[in-house]
Amino acid sequence: NAGVMQNPRHLVRRRGQEARLRCSPMKGHSHVYWYRQLPEEGLKFMVYLQKENIIDESGMPKERFSAEFPKEGPSILRIQQVVRGDSAAYFCASSPIGTDRDTQYFGPGTRLTVL
Amino acid sequence: TQLLEQSPQFLSIQEGENLTVYCNSSSVFSSLQWYRQEPGEGPVLLVTVVTGGEVKKLKRLTFQFGDARKDSSLHITAAQPGDTGLYLCAGAQGGSEKLVFGKGTKLTVNP
């Protein structure tokens, strides 16, 4: 998985709690993407960020979900007031600056379980 | 509707056999990636193809991008148990950074 770091690898939350998922891109990569993989479904795009900017959030649910990629530190995907339907594997990917942005390298994922 | 259709959905073969999996769409993609994912892990990039008709080889794996850039195939020669996994194709459409994924082909290679 070429150096994209995600933590935690597993996260258990009760309904109504908040979930914070972290992603550190590969060294030299300034583009970060979040995807969600539901059981029996393919990966679905959620959001694309660059440092301090949200570029495309067309795949993000309108409520409870937010993402940031600050100037310093990892990218954060935040889910407020989690519900059982949020249980899924959340993957972060990164790509380099320049024209090779189509090539995305994925982290190991965070498996969120909502009880 | 699924933008990228992968077939077959499941494939179980014996070690040493050859196989081909397909990724089809009615849409044009500026590039297409193939990934392999193992249980509990993230997708691992195998190849990116960008030119219509392009063929890339990675040891026993051969990837082809269709002339019209709407489809792709992955051929594995003399499959080994270590090839077992979920093979995903993903496409990028011009002007968009997001990848669209197929649902994958789950390959099992039996010793």
Side-chain angles (χ1 to χ4, degrees):
Chain A
N1 288 318
V4 178
M5 309 268 294
Q6 287 189 252
N7 67 81
R9 292 291 305 271
H10 300 273
L11 183 61
V12 179
R13 285 287 178 265
R14 296 191 181 278
R15 281 179 297 171
Q17 291 184 320
E18 179 179 287
R20 280 184 176 240
L21 288 61
R22 294 173 186 78
C23 168
S24 296
M26 279 181 66
K27 188 176 180 180
H29 288 190
S30 61
H31 303 262
V32 165
Y33 313 80
W34 286 93
Y35 293 82
R36 177 165 65 175
Q37 188 173 39
L38 291 166
E40 308 305 322
E41 293 193 20
L43 284 99
K44 303 288 186 189
F45 169 81
M46 299 181 75
V47 62
Y48 161 42
L49 310 104
Q50 296 176 20
K51 288 282 186 182
E52 300 184 284
N53 280 306
I54 297 174
I55 307 301
D56 181 352
E57 57 182 346
S58 59
M60 287 278 270
K62 298 299 180 198
E63 298 177 346
R64 302 187 296 108
F65 284 72
S66 62
E68 63 176 6
F69 189 14
K71 188 176 180 181
E72 301 291 337
S75 175
I76 306 285
L77 180 67
R78 182 181 176 206
I79 312 173
Q80 294 178 290
Q81 299 174 344
V82 295
V83 301
R84 289 220 173 108
D86 297 332
S87 294
Y90 291 83
F91 292 97
C92 167
S94 71
S95 66
I97 301 170
T99 59
D100 203 24
R101 289 202 296 275
D102 291 350
T103 297
Q104 298 177 17
Y105 298 87
F106 282 78
T110 294
R111 272 120 191 111
L112 172 66
T113 301
V114 179
L115 302 177
Chain B
T1 54
Q2 191 75 16
L3 197 59
L4 277 171
E5 297 285 347
Q6 289 192 245
S7 61
Q9 189 176 354
F10 299 96
L11 186 57
S12 181
I13 61 171
Q14 294 300 121
E15 184 175 1
E17 292 183 5
N18 302 331
L19 67 114
T20 303
V21 298
Y22 300 92
C23 177
N24 295 303
S25 177
S26 57
S27 301
V28 175
F29 291 93
S30 56
S31 69
L32 201 138
Q33 288 80 47
W34 284 91
Y35 292 85
R36 190 175 93 184
Q37 185 179 23
E38 300 195 29
E41 299 296 329
V44 175
L45 180 69
L46 297 175
V47 78
T48 300
V49 286
V50 296
T51 305
E54 182 176 6
V55 176
K56 281 192 174 179
K57 295 193 179 219
L58 184 67
K59 297 184 181 177
R60 294 176 293 102
L61 279 60
T62 301
F63 305 85
Q64 184 160 11
F65 200 12
D67 291 340
R69 292 186 288 136
K70 293 182 179 181
D71 52 80
S72 181
S73 63
L74 159 58
H75 182 79
I76 301 179
T77 303
Q80 299 176 0
D83 295 328
T84 293
L86 178 67
Y87 288 81
L88 298 165
C89 68
Q93 295 184 295
S96 173
E97 310 294 342
K98 59 189 177 188
L99 291 179
V100 175
F101 278 83
K103 288 190 177 182
T105 292
K106 191 168 183 181
L107 172 66
T108 302
V109 182
N110 302 298

